[in-house]
Amino acid sequence: MTRTILTGDRPTGPLHLGHYVGSLQQRVALQREYATYVLIADLQALTDHFDAPEQVRANVLEVMLDYLAVGLDPAVATMVVQSQVPELAELTMYLLNLVSVARLQRNPTVKDEMRQKGFEADVPAGFLVYPVSQAADIAAFKADLVPVGGDQVPMIEQAVELVRRFNRTYPGASGPVLVEPEALLGPVSRLPGTDGGAAKMSKSLGNVINLSDPADEVARKVRGMFTDPRHLRVEDPGTVEGNPVFAYLDAFDPDRAAVDALKARYRAGGLGDSVVKARLTEVLEALLAPIRRRRAEWARDLGGVGRLLDEGTTRGRAMAAATLAEVRRAMRLYGS
Ligand code: TRP
């Protein structure tokens, strides 16, 4: 039987290199092997952007353009708008009974994000429960595999717990209804921001390179990247570990031998940051130029892009509705 992939992104801004190595690359590679569903998670985006609905709405088509630009093929992968599938909100409601508030408060990613957003004192309930909504996304599509970045692993763990709890609490007449998912991590599970800080990449911190950034913007961002602060003169030996420029070369330069040679020269001293950065700019251009070109082509027909998204959403909704019919039956809900 064909196995299923479901994953998604919040449409709060353009997708960036972190999305690419964390998940997009894997989806594109696997889209012909798995039944692939990709959710534009606008409901989840509202959990921390409830006061910016226009921003969320405007980014739905932008994220779709990013998907098409990186090579997700609408002939095989189904792109779905989350808010157009009310069954996802319905399943969230059922799953909320199967998790304690204390367990929600222990989710390490939610904890980090609450700290970053200054939500500790007064967290919106919707934000605290977004891992349950994410579990509903995954469960409604009966996903086996969820390609995500490393920060999402706690979400998948919580989804597994919820699926198990549901199947135990509401055993279906002909076997368990929901499927236990598994996270699929990319080769680079965490790409640092261009500032080299511990916080994850985010538009608000200005430490991201977007897939849609023009070439001069990419070059400017690379020139401004944090490196080894003790590497003051070209002759000084430099440190490669924790140096974001090398982390990016590790993630994106297909020529491993060239990266190793650069690292050796950097460590020995005598290699300037500007040389390493020039190499990185070249490597990123090789990746991003075709993505930018495909994006521009699709952007000429936004009506067509919107129709592809509507068609995907219709197919996705049918899938979620079929699962929800089984869910209601297993739960012995009135009318099922
Ligand atoms: N939380 C994910 C992110 O911030 C987005 C997301 C929403 C998702 N629903 C999902 C990821 C379901 C995987 C599966 O990137």
Side-chain angles (χ1 to χ4, degrees):
M1 208 173 94
T2 319
R3 306 218 311 150
T4 299
I5 279 180
L6 175 110
T7 185
D9 304 280
R10 301 174 178 207
T12 54
L15 300 185
H16 52 63
L17 289 176
H19 292 109
Y20 189 80
V21 284
S23 171
L24 291 170
Q25 218 176 2
Q26 282 64 247
R27 306 175 199 179
V28 173
L30 296 174
Q31 62 183 335
R32 290 188 165 72
E33 208 177 310
Y34 286 77
T36 299
Y37 294 89
V38 182
L39 212 55
I40 302 184
D42 56 344
L43 284 187
Q44 191 181 109
L46 288 173
T47 64
D48 63 345
H49 284 70
F50 56 86
D51 53 355
E54 286 301 334
Q55 183 190 338
V56 172
R57 183 189 171 119
N59 277 298
V60 169
L61 267 194
E62 292 298 319
V63 167
M64 180 65 174
L65 280 173
D66 284 334
Y67 287 163
L68 296 168
V70 297
L72 279 172
D73 177 356
V76 289
T78 304
M79 274 64 90
V80 179
V81 183
Q82 187 185 29
S83 64
Q84 302 276 87
V85 184
E87 287 79 4
L88 298 175
E90 181 187 348
L91 183 55
T92 302
M93 194 70 196
Y94 303 147
L95 294 181
L96 277 170
N97 297 323
L98 307 179
V99 63
S100 71
V101 173
R103 171 67 180 95
L104 288 165
Q105 285 168 332
R106 273 200 305 273
N107 183 307
T109 299
V110 172
K111 266 177 40 187
D112 277 355
E113 289 173 336
M114 276 169 55
R115 210 170 306 126
Q116 258 183 45
K117 294 174 205 296
F119 274 165
E120 285 149 304
D122 214 4
V123 64
F127 187 81
L128 191 63
V129 306
Y130 93 72
V132 180
S133 137
Q134 186 156 333
D137 298 340
I138 295 167
F141 286 85
K142 298 196 176 184
D144 301 284
L145 211 56
V146 188
V148 281
D151 65 309
Q152 295 292 302
V153 169
M155 304 299 160
I156 314 307
E157 284 168 0
Q158 236 183 321
V160 169
E161 285 173 31
L162 282 162
V163 164
R164 285 192 185 145
R165 186 92 196 268
F166 182 94
N167 286 339
R168 247 188 293 121
T169 312
Y170 308 112
S174 45
V177 170
L178 300 182
V179 173
E180 285 183 28
E182 202 183 311
L184 174 70
L185 291 179
V188 185
S189 81
R190 186 186 175 279
L191 189 70
T194 53
D195 57 359
K200 79 174 193 181
M201 287 197 252
S202 79
K203 197 170 58 165
S204 50
L205 293 173
N207 61 356
V208 294
I209 295 175
N210 298 317
L211 299 174
S212 51
D213 281 345
D216 55 346
E217 180 89 5
V218 174
R220 189 184 61 75
K221 286 178 176 174
V222 171
R223 274 197 305 276
M225 268 175 96
F226 182 85
T227 60
D228 171 5
R230 281 167 310 190
H231 186 235
L232 295 175
R233 285 166 309 181
V234 172
E235 315 82 77
D236 293 338
T239 306
V240 164
E241 289 68 31
N243 184 328
V245 180
F246 281 101
Y248 278 59
L249 282 175
D250 279 336
F252 298 107
D253 193 338
D255 187 347
R256 311 311 317 162
V259 176
D260 288 343
L262 273 184
K263 284 181 179 172
R265 285 174 59 199
Y266 195 78
R267 286 191 177 109
L271 181 62
D273 284 328
S274 61
V275 178
V276 193
K277 287 180 172 178
R279 170 70 190 169
L280 178 57
T281 305
E282 198 179 282
V283 164
L284 291 182
E285 252 329 274
L287 172 74
L288 295 176
I291 293 177
R292 217 180 278 127
R293 202 162 45 240
R294 273 196 301 267
R295 198 178 204 282
E297 276 165 29
W298 282 106
R300 287 206 305 257
D301 179 22
L302 282 181
V305 171
R307 276 191 296 282
L308 286 172
L309 188 53
D310 292 345
E311 284 163 22
T313 300
T314 302
R315 285 202 300 278
R317 184 165 186 197
M319 172 87 190
T323 304
L324 262 289
E326 290 180 63
V327 160
R328 282 185 222 108
R329 228 174 295 127
M331 292 179 72
R332 324 214 35 85
L333 283 183
Y334 182 85
S336 70

